[in-house]
């Protein structure tokens, strides 16, 4: 057996970034079909409720095409139904063409969630599961605030869900309900067969096809990956299932082993898998655009923090759940990407009451200077973000700090 192919760090970064849509022109006019193609390319787009600049899904898509408009995403979700909202490792927008594979996730979740959530929510969740289902059958699109305790007062976060809200989420997570839309970002639930199209609902695949798709499609979006990274990409299958798939594909010649240089050249190259045409993929990978851009903390390029640090040498942690006094940077700080390199992070907020995009802190990575060219690049990106959210000005509170 020949030695594994050695993949240089920059090659791995360029391939990964191309597969994740960061090498394409950002000003090409984007039609709804183009937006759908982009989401298919990414696989999914994570949805998050925090909105310091714009919500995560909008920032992820805007970072790749700056003609993107949120109403186009709404149209694909709520009108054509070419997308649906469900769970990967978190809530996400997913192409409807992938729905057959989520049927397997529904079945896997059905028993696990009921047992887990019954221990977590001891106050009647299981007792109202059937009742909530019948209620939505009868009334149609339903929000959690219209049921149970939410009729009296709004609940807090997921830790304060009342039984009816928990039941709604259970039916959604196990495929009985789908999200028909959102109002002020609150989910509107309805029966799945009243939300998704007949073509989407009629497609099926068997268990072996499901595992094969989960691994193949993950690797196609990562370029190079370990079996664990493939399993974690969609969070649909178990690590052991991905490991077994890799073993069989390797033996059948449908995968090859590679070793990948990390950003830390002192560390030994890491073993991973790739498709047999990996050398051609690497040779043809276009370098990412040189421009500077802010990424959402939930951008797919940085979602896997360990992979991010290994591949880019960038140590990023979101500090939303860190007490304010213990935060190193800020509540919701955005990584700054320049070409194929993360050069720092920035704390910026859309202050609607002041009609401004307000910068409260900027931290550059060690060894990164802040000359005029880089400053112009940052100001250009801040102005793009300002226009995207509809603010009148970019304002500053204090200067930058080196990490």
């Amino acid at each position: 057996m020949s030695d594994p192919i050695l993949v240089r760090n920059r090659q791995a970064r360029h391939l990964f970034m191309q597969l994740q849509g960061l090498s394409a022109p950002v000003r090409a006019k984007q039609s709804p079909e183009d937006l759908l193609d982009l989401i298919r390319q990414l696989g999914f787009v994570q949805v998050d409720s925090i909105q310091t600049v714009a919500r995560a899904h909008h920032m992820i898509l805007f970072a790749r095409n700056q003609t993107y408009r949120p109403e186009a995403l709404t149209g694909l979700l709520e009108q054509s139904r070419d997308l649906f909202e469900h769970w990967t490792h978190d809530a996400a927008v997913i192409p409807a063409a992938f729905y057959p594979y989520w049927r397997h996730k529904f079945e896997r979740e059905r028993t696990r969630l009921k047992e887990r959530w019954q221990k977590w929510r001891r106050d009647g969740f299981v007792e109202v599961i059937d009742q909530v289902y019948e209620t939505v059958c009868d009334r149609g699109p339903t929000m959690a605030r219209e049921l149970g305790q939410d009729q009296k007062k709004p609940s807090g976060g997921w830790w304060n869900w009342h039984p009816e809200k928990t039941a709604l989420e259970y039916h959604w997570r196990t495929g009985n309900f789908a999200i028909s839309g959102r109002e002020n970002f609150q989910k509107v639930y309805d029966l799945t067969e009243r939300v998704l199209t007949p073509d989407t609902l009629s497609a099926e695949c068997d268990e072996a096809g499901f595992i094969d798709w989960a691994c193949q499609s993950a690797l196609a979006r990562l370029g190079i990956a370990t079996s664990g990274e493939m399993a974690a990409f969609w969070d649909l299958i178990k690590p052991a299932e991905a490991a077994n798939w890799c073993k069989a594909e390797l033996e059948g010649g449908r995968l090859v082993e590679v070793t990948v240089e990390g950003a830390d050249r002192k560390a030994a190259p890491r073993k991973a898998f790739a498709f047999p045409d990996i050398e051609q993929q690497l040779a043809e990978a276009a370098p990412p655009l040189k421009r500077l851009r802010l990424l959402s903390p939930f951008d797919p390029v940085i979602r896997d923090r360990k992979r991010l640090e290994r591949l880019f040498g960038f140590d990023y942690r979101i500090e939303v759940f860190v007490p304010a006094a213990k935060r190193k940077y800020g509540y919701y700080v955005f990584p700054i990407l320049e070409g194929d390199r993360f050069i720092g992070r920035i704390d910026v907020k859309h202050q609607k009451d002041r009609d401004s995009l307000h910068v409260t802190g900027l931290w550059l990575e060690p060894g990164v200077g802040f000359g005029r060219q880089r400053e112009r690049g940052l100001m250009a990106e801040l102005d793009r973000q300002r226009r995207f959210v509809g603010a009148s000005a970019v304002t500053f509170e204090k200067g930058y700090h080196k990490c």
Side-chain angles (χ1 to χ4, degrees), residues 197-268:
T197 68
D199 286 346
T200 296
L201 294 173
S202 63
E204 296 182 359
C205 77
D206 61 18
E207 181 80 3
F210 161 61
I211 293 172
D212 183 66
W213 178 86
C215 294
Q216 286 241 26
S217 59
L219 184 56
R221 289 163 176 81
L222 294 169
I224 300 163
T226 65
S227 61
E229 288 169 341
M230 292 181 217
F233 182 84
W234 302 104
D235 195 26
L236 289 173
I237 61 174
K238 298 174 183 177
E241 291 173 318
N244 290 337
W245 180 86
C246 288
K247 183 175 183 293
E249 295 298 293
L250 188 64
E251 291 173 351
R254 294 177 294 275
L255 283 185
V256 295
E257 287 186 309
V258 299
T259 56
V260 188
E261 270 186 352
D264 180 1
R265 300 301 172 88
K266 295 179 182 178

Side-chain angles (χ1 to χ4, degrees), residues 348-367:
V348 57
K349 298 176 177 65
H350 180 199
Q351 296 184 332
K352 294 182 180 179
D353 57 336
R354 298 183 181 180
D355 194 20
S356 72
L357 190 67
H358 188 66
V359 178
T360 60
L362 171 64
W363 300 264
L364 299 180
E365 290 291 277

Side-chain angles (χ1 to χ4, degrees), residues 297 302 304-306 308-309 314-320 322 328-333 335 345:
I302 65 172
D304 185 335
R305 307 293 196 236
K306 291 181 179 179
L308 172 70
E309 188 166 4
F314 187 61
D315 180 14
Y316 179 78
R317 302 293 181 271
I318 192 166
E319 298 182 290
V320 168
V322 177
K328 186 175 181 180
Y329 301 109
Y331 172 76
Y332 197 82
V333 171
R345 60 204 85 201

Side-chain angles (χ1 to χ4, degrees), residues 4 16 82 90 92 94 128-129 146 181 194 255 274 311:
F16 180 45
D82 287 309
D90 213 317
I94 305 161
V128 300
I129 286 178
E146 298 168 330
R194 294 200 291 234
L255 283 185
L311 204 54

Side-chain angles (χ1 to χ4, degrees), residues 45-255:
V45 177
Q46 186 167 333
V47 174
D48 191 74
S49 61
I50 299 173
Q51 187 173 353
T52 56
V53 174
R55 298 198 196 279
H57 42 295
H58 298 316
M59 291 197 71
I60 290 167
L61 295 168
F62 183 69
R64 288 155 175 80
N65 189 305
Q66 288 168 4
T67 73
Y68 164 74
R69 293 296 176 263
E71 54 268 24
L73 182 65
T74 302
L76 293 172
L77 274 165
E78 299 182 15
Q79 296 167 20
S80 68
R81 304 295 184 185
D82 287 309
L83 300 172
F84 72 105
E85 186 177 332
H86 215 273
W87 208 260
T88 55
H89 50 87
D90 213 317
V93 169
I94 305 161
F98 301 165
Y99 187 80
Y101 309 110
W102 261 256
R103 291 183 185 277
H104 295 268
K105 184 177 181 68
F106 302 154
E107 290 305 313
R108 292 178 176 212
E109 293 277 67
R110 202 172 300 278
T111 300
R112 187 186 71 85
L113 281 184
K114 185 178 285 189
E115 292 176 352
R116 178 183 167 194
W117 286 4
Q118 187 174 15
K119 294 176 183 177
W120 164 52
R121 301 299 304 169
R122 298 176 182 272
D123 53 356
F125 148 60
V126 171
E127 288 74 11
V128 300
I129 286 178
D130 292 341
Q131 174 190 324
V132 166
Y133 182 81
E134 293 301 325
T135 298
V136 174
C137 282
D138 293 341
R139 70 181 294 167
T142 302
M143 301 174 70
R145 70 187 184 197
E146 298 168 330
L147 301 179
Q149 296 174 21
D150 270 359
Q151 294 177 336
K152 300 176 182 178
K153 64 176 182 178
S155 67
W158 55 266
W159 54 89
N160 281 328
W161 285 355
H162 59 74
E164 288 82 3
K165 166 64 175 176
T166 310
L168 285 168
E169 286 287 304
Y170 173 79
H171 284 300
W172 173 52
R173 292 280 294 271
T174 57
N176 296 326
F177 294 167
I179 306 303
S180 67
R182 284 183 179 257
E183 292 183 15
N184 297 322
F185 208 66
Q186 294 184 42
K187 298 187 190 83
V188 181
Y189 306 83
D190 201 356
L191 296 180
T192 298
E193 56 266 33
R194 294 200 291 234
V195 175
L196 302 182
T197 68
D199 286 346
T200 296
L201 294 173
S202 63
E204 296 182 359
C205 77
D206 61 18
E207 181 80 3
F210 161 61
I211 293 172
D212 183 66
W213 178 86
C215 294
Q216 286 241 26
S217 59
L219 184 56
R221 289 163 176 81
L222 294 169
I224 300 163
T226 65
S227 61
E229 288 169 341
M230 292 181 217
F233 182 84
W234 302 104
D235 195 26
L236 289 173
I237 61 174
K238 298 174 183 177
E241 291 173 318
N244 290 337
W245 180 86
C246 288
K247 183 175 183 293
E249 295 298 293
L250 188 64
E251 291 173 351
R254 294 177 294 275
L255 283 185

Side-chain angles (χ1 to χ4, degrees), residues 341-398:
R341 180 186 181 195
F342 286 91
I343 64 165
R345 60 204 85 201
I346 189 167
D347 193 356
V348 57
K349 298 176 177 65
H350 180 199
Q351 296 184 332
K352 294 182 180 179
D353 57 336
R354 298 183 181 180
D355 194 20
S356 72
L357 190 67
H358 188 66
V359 178
T360 60
L362 171 64
W363 300 264
L364 299 180
E365 290 291 277
V368 175
F370 198 55
R372 290 184 179 179
Q373 183 174 351
R374 184 161 283 139
E375 182 179 8
R376 285 195 295 268
L378 177 60
M379 290 304 301
E381 173 65 0
L382 289 171
D383 193 60
R384 287 189 286 266
Q385 297 289 340
R386 174 196 66 78
R387 286 184 276 116
F388 182 56
V389 300
S392 294
V394 177
T395 57
F396 297 85
E397 185 169 314
K398 54 186 176 182

